[in-house]
Each structure stands twice: as C-alpha cells, then as structure tokens.
Amino acid sequence: MSRPRPWVIVPGIWNSDAEHWQSHWQESRGADAVRIAPTSWSEPDPDDWSAAIDRAVAACAEPPVLVAHSLGVLAVAAWLAEHDDGRVAGAFLVAPPDPDAPGFPVAAAGFTVPTQGVRTPTVLVVSDDDPYCTADRALGIASTLGAGVQRIGAFGHVNVASGVGDWDAGRTLLEDFAATL
C-alpha cells in the first residue's frame, strides 16, 4: 500500500480556526499536511499568498494535493494559472467566494475569479446555499478552470458557522479524489 499524498492546506481570509474542518484534517494528517503561512491573513495580498503556497508546496517531499477553502480557492486558482507545471498532484477546492458579491471582504479586493483553465486535476465542491457565492457562479468558476464538480447540497459556506464539524463526508470526497491522482 502506498503512502497517501501530502496535503497543502490553503484556508480563507483570517485563516481557519481550530474548529474548522481544515484544521481537524491537518491535525489528523500530522507531517503529511502543511498549512500556508502568509503574513497577510487579515489584509490578504495575492502575491503574499502565492509566495506562501510556493513555500508550502516546496516543503512537501512529493507533489501534494492543495486543499483550499473560500478565499484560498481564489488563491489556488491564481497560483495554478502561474504554476501549472506538475508541482502539485491536484487541487480540492471548497466553497469559492464571489469577488463581485456584496458580502466579499473589502480587504480581499485583490483576489479575482479565475480567467483561464488549468491542467492540474481539480475538483470544486459547491454548496447550493453558500451566502458568499451562488451555485451558478461557482459552476462558472469550475467551468473556467476545467474542474470537476461535486455538489453537496445545502451546506452554507461549508465552515464552522454551517455546522459541518469535522466534515467527514468532505474528507471522503477528498480521499476519493486523491485516489484518482
């Protein structure tokens, strides 16, 4: 049996707190998961986040799976547009925000929706009632990226406030996706 691929955890603005599913997943993986460490969590700078993804990917012994949530989805999409060169095995993207929506944080204004496709195998997990991005807008993002789509029903922004907890069903989606890489 082969060892599972490492994960690079890419949270959204303000990072994911200890109760967020990304934090639970990272803790359970130990050294097989690394979280990005930008200096601009509260006032996110796209270049800083891109450099943080670079560092986290470089820290992995083999091409990892990027596991992104919220603003992290936009950061990963932008990073892949510049670095779609085999350094990562895949991207598991959950609950993208819509930069054009009224609830998008002003502090994150430098982040945009992707404008080009990627070769890296990618799946976008879409909640039907995400307050930060309509399902139609999320499906458009997936189409632009050339990503597969997993619609999970009504799970809000797939975060602590949505009540998903450890989000075991999401972890199964990630593990099934990673098994195809």
Side-chain angles (χ1 to χ4, degrees):
M1 179 190 222
S2 66
R3 183 181 154 103
R5 289 191 177 278
W7 296 343
V8 168
I9 306 293
V10 186
I13 192 170
W14 306 299
N15 202 349
S16 293
D17 66 25
E19 298 305 312
H20 195 282
W21 56 266
Q22 282 183 310
S23 298
H24 290 283
W25 294 6
Q26 180 182 0
E27 183 178 334
S28 73
R29 287 294 296 264
D32 284 334
V34 61
R35 182 180 299 243
I36 68 164
T39 60
S40 61
W41 281 119
S42 298
E43 299 283 332
D45 172 63
D47 292 333
D48 178 39
W49 283 44
S50 179
I53 294 169
D54 274 337
R55 290 188 301 272
V57 168
C60 297
E62 65 180 282
V65 176
L66 303 176
V67 181
H69 178 254
S70 194
L71 190 63
V73 171
L74 301 182
V76 165
W79 187 87
L80 285 173
E82 298 293 322
H83 304 93
D84 198 11
D85 55 11
R87 284 195 267 173
V88 298
F92 183 81
L93 311 176
V94 180
D98 180 355
D100 296 326
F104 191 76
V106 173
F111 289 79
T112 60
V113 294
T115 58
Q116 66 186 59
V118 299
R119 291 185 312 267
T120 298
T122 302
V123 66
L124 185 70
V125 179
V126 177
S127 170
D128 290 334
D129 65 345
D130 190 332
Y132 297 103
C133 187
T134 67
D136 285 344
R137 180 73 156 158
L139 294 174
I141 291 169
S143 178
T144 297
L145 288 172
V149 174
Q150 287 287 330
R151 288 187 79 161
I152 59 171
F155 282 92
H157 196 50
V158 197
N159 59 7
V160 174
S162 303
V164 297
D166 291 353
W167 196 36
D168 293 332
R171 181 144 180 182
T172 299
L173 290 174
L174 170 56
E175 290 170 348
D176 289 348
F177 170 66
T180 69
L181 303 175

